[in-house]
Amino acid sequence: MPEGDTVWRTANSLRDALDGKVLTTCDVRVPRYATVDFTGETVESVLSAGKHLVIEVGGKVIHSHLKMEGAWHVYQPDTPWRRPAYQARIVLGTSDRVAVGFELGVVEILDTVEEAVGYLGPDLLGPLWDPAVALGNLEAEPDRPIGLALLDQRVIAGLGNVYRNEILFLRGVDPHTPVSAAGNLAKMIDLSHRTITANKNRNARTFTGDLRAGRHFWVYGRENKPCRRCGTRIRDGLLGDNPLEERQIYWCPRCQPAP
């Protein structure tokens, strides 16, 4: 599942392929931007911010978001793609690389980086990471369930559903707990930063420290299985600000007592 660490690695790959290079191909396969052509322009920068990717080129910004199914691949010219061409939303080529964005949830051309990511909270993997700002953002909504606040990119940028569930287990906090009752928030923020930093260079993230298949997670995706700590059956459910935004949650009712 694409989260901040996945996007950070993707940005590194795209930076190596595109940054400072002249585009020889630009094919935006989104009807609204079908006439956009940056061929002949030099890519100025490739940035990640939380779960967003930003490419500055030709005085504009290509903003993309992977959502659930998206991915960027980098190929040598004339190399077969690993996904079908009909899934491609944008193709950017240089003399020695081809970057293809498949099934991207968002592809848009904007005027500034601020338009794309200016609303985000501090980026856990960004150069300007500020835990004090993240703490202030969390504390600003004391009655909101902590399981929603951690997932809100306006509060902290980079955490997705996997991290949300695993961080709350490690801190012993039920996802339904109000922010004001969730214990030491500074420690929760620090754990989030340390965990995503530790995982950023891994293709398979782990929260248990065990890299063996099937041993990576404490609770995520383990509904009805015994807790690795206490043996209690892991529970699952849905949590969201409204029915359209509900996401799956997992927790151990003994290790994460109800508020």
Side-chain angles (χ1 to χ4, degrees):
M1 181 177 295
E3 301 199 17
D5 50 1
T6 303
V7 177
W8 184 87
R9 289 193 300 274
T10 300
N12 287 347
S13 176
L14 290 177
R15 191 177 298 115
D16 180 64
L18 302 175
D19 199 9
K21 298 182 180 180
V22 176
L23 292 182
T24 56
T25 301
C26 178
D27 181 6
V28 186
R29 301 180 182 183
V30 177
R32 182 178 178 184
Y33 303 109
T35 60
V36 172
D37 188 0
F38 293 118
T39 301
E41 300 286 354
T42 300
V43 175
E44 300 158 24
S45 70
V46 179
L47 309 169
S48 64
K51 296 191 279 187
H52 300 254
L53 278 162
V54 174
I55 301 171
E56 294 185 276
V57 58
K60 296 288 186 178
V61 169
I62 301 172
H63 170 227
S64 64
H65 194 296
L66 305 183
K67 296 292 186 180
M68 295 292 289
E69 305 295 336
W72 278 92
H73 293 181
V74 175
Y75 301 96
Q76 298 286 341
D78 302 319
T79 300
W81 295 352
R82 298 191 302 275
R83 286 197 184 187
Y86 71 83
Q87 292 182 357
R89 298 293 175 264
I90 183 169
V91 182
L92 301 173
T94 69
S95 61
D96 62 351
R97 294 288 190 278
V98 178
V100 187
F102 294 99
E103 291 192 296
L104 301 174
V106 173
V107 178
E108 55 184 356
I109 313 299
L110 304 174
D111 291 324
T112 66
V113 174
E114 187 73 13
E115 282 184 79
V117 298
Y119 70 95
L120 295 176
D123 179 7
L124 282 158
L125 292 176
L128 302 179
W129 163 245
D130 190 334
V133 174
L135 178 60
N137 290 347
L138 266 183
E139 292 176 335
E141 299 184 90
D143 298 327
R144 194 177 191 193
I146 187 66
L148 293 181
L150 285 181
L151 211 57
D152 190 336
Q153 301 302 294
R154 297 168 299 178
V155 176
I156 304 172
L159 296 183
N161 200 30
V162 177
Y163 274 95
R164 181 259 300 269
N165 284 286
E166 293 292 299
I167 293 298
L168 288 175
F169 173 83
L170 289 168
R171 291 298 301 159
V173 178
D174 183 292
H176 305 89
T177 305
V179 169
S180 60
N184 191 320
L185 296 177
K187 287 187 176 181
M188 187 173 296
I189 291 168
D190 178 64
L191 178 63
S192 300
H193 181 248
R194 288 188 289 111
T195 304
I196 200 169
T197 299
N199 277 318
K200 69 180 182 180
N201 288 312
R202 295 181 178 132
N203 288 326
R205 62 177 75 101
T206 180
F207 298 86
T208 62
D210 193 334
L211 292 172
R212 290 175 295 175
R215 301 288 297 177
H216 299 170
F217 304 135
W218 293 102
V219 292
Y220 181 80
R222 300 192 66 246
E223 67 274 16
N224 297 318
K225 295 180 180 179
C227 175
R228 299 191 193 279
R229 280 185 179 167
C230 71
T232 302
R233 181 174 61 87
I234 299 298
R235 298 186 60 186
D236 70 313
L238 295 172
L239 185 65
D241 287 314
N242 59 66
L244 295 178
E245 296 179 356
E246 289 181 331
R247 301 286 299 279
Q248 202 81 14
I249 54 172
Y250 306 89
W251 74 101
C252 171
R254 182 173 181 182
C255 295
Q256 301 164 262

